[in-house]
Amino acid sequence: MRVLIIEDDHDVAANVGEFLEDQGHEVDFAYDGPGGLQRALSAPWDAVVLDLRLPGLDGLEICRQLRQERAWETPVLMLTARDTLPDRLEGFGAGADDYLVKPFALSELAARLEALNHRGLARRPVLRVEDLELDTGTLIVTRQGRRLDLKPASLKLLRRLMEAAPAVLTREDLERVLWTDEPPESAALNTHIYNLRRAIDRPFERPLLHSVSGVGYRLGDDGRDHEHR
């Protein structure tokens, strides 16, 4: 499971992250509101641990903005020191899926994330860009009804491109999908883009993956035929 922790208390974030990594999960961090919102939208996550009180943008507003993104259905576990019913209702009203009051047991947090992830798998949408489809629950990719075989890196890039379509994603956006904050030399992304293009375009008459000179890449033909269902 890929988990993003948005928490300004570095000690709390480190403790949660270390525990989840010991459980075999992949973890990344953001330590303020604006950075957390950007990071949440920059890559696919299985769950987000979101603190309520954050500098720059609080957790409630982050959650509201994330839920306004049509394809963004990642489960959110909100952390807070507030334990009144109105506080919990406000969190759920903003789009949180679960609510955990500090201090908490790390084992309980991990169990709640697992439960949220299982429920999330059942409700995640099928992404579609023209005749290309990605079932985000099963990770099965098809085009014109034909199942495509994608490598893991290609699948990560494809999902992010489909979520953003028809918008252009920069090379930096796509590098973060694969390597978070430590990308290798620039040629490495070219290799993965080549593999993705070979998988989704080469067997078909019309290309969907387009390079935008000096910027990055986008998925789609005319920038209009895309949907999430």
Side-chain angles (χ1 to χ4, degrees):
M1 186 164 52
R2 292 194 74 217
V3 181
L4 174 64
I5 300 171
I6 308 175
E7 166 65 71
D8 65 324
D9 187 320
H10 286 243
D11 290 336
V12 171
N15 288 338
V16 172
E18 182 178 355
F19 186 85
L20 293 178
E21 287 175 343
D22 288 343
Q23 301 288 313
H25 303 302
E26 182 181 344
V27 179
D28 198 5
F29 302 91
Y31 300 104
D32 60 47
L37 178 61
Q38 180 182 13
R39 192 76 191 95
L41 293 171
S42 70
W45 307 99
D46 297 304
V48 171
V49 177
L50 176 62
D51 188 36
L52 182 60
R53 291 177 178 250
L54 291 164
L57 198 66
D58 69 24
L60 292 173
E61 184 58 29
I62 290 173
C63 204
R64 290 189 189 101
Q65 291 193 33
L66 290 174
R67 294 308 183 203
Q68 289 171 4
E69 296 289 326
R70 182 170 54 175
W72 207 93
E73 297 195 5
T74 303
V76 173
L77 173 60
M78 189 167 285
L79 302 180
T80 180
R82 303 176 186 174
D83 191 24
T84 68
L85 178 59
D87 290 329
R88 293 197 299 273
L89 293 177
E90 189 176 21
F92 290 129
D97 296 275
D98 202 354
Y99 197 96
L100 193 57
V101 177
K102 298 177 179 179
F104 51 84
L106 292 172
S107 56
E108 181 181 2
L109 181 143
R112 287 174 181 253
L113 287 178
E114 290 283 2
L116 288 175
N117 185 51
H118 287 311
R119 292 203 296 269
L121 286 173
R123 73 185 187 198
R124 286 175 186 166
V126 173
L127 304 179
R128 178 189 294 162
V129 177
E130 299 190 37
D131 55 3
L132 178 68
E133 290 190 358
L134 166 60
D135 186 317
T136 60
T138 63
L139 300 182
I140 292 175
V141 180
T142 60
R143 185 170 181 188
Q144 296 180 8
R146 183 194 308 182
R147 183 165 176 172
L148 307 180
D149 183 21
L150 271 69
K151 297 179 179 179
S154 297
L155 188 60
K156 289 181 180 180
L157 292 176
L158 177 63
R159 178 169 179 169
R160 185 67 191 104
L161 284 160
M162 294 184 79
E163 288 172 341
V168 177
L169 293 179
T170 67
R171 291 182 61 87
E172 291 76 15
D173 290 333
L174 296 175
E175 285 172 348
R176 282 196 295 269
V177 171
L178 298 179
W179 302 292
T180 61
D181 296 324
E182 297 181 4
E185 78 282 353
S186 60
L189 180 62
N190 295 342
T191 300
H192 291 298
I193 291 292
Y194 171 80
N195 289 336
L196 176 59
R197 182 172 277 129
R198 183 175 60 180
I200 68 171
D201 280 345
R202 179 168 293 181
F204 303 94
E205 186 173 323
R206 184 175 53 172
L208 291 178
L209 180 57
H210 303 281
S211 302
V212 179
S213 180
V215 182
Y217 301 89
R218 72 171 180 85
L219 201 63
D221 183 16
D222 59 6
R224 290 177 297 177
D225 296 333
H226 72 286
E227 65 175 286
H228 307 278
R229 62 175 174 84

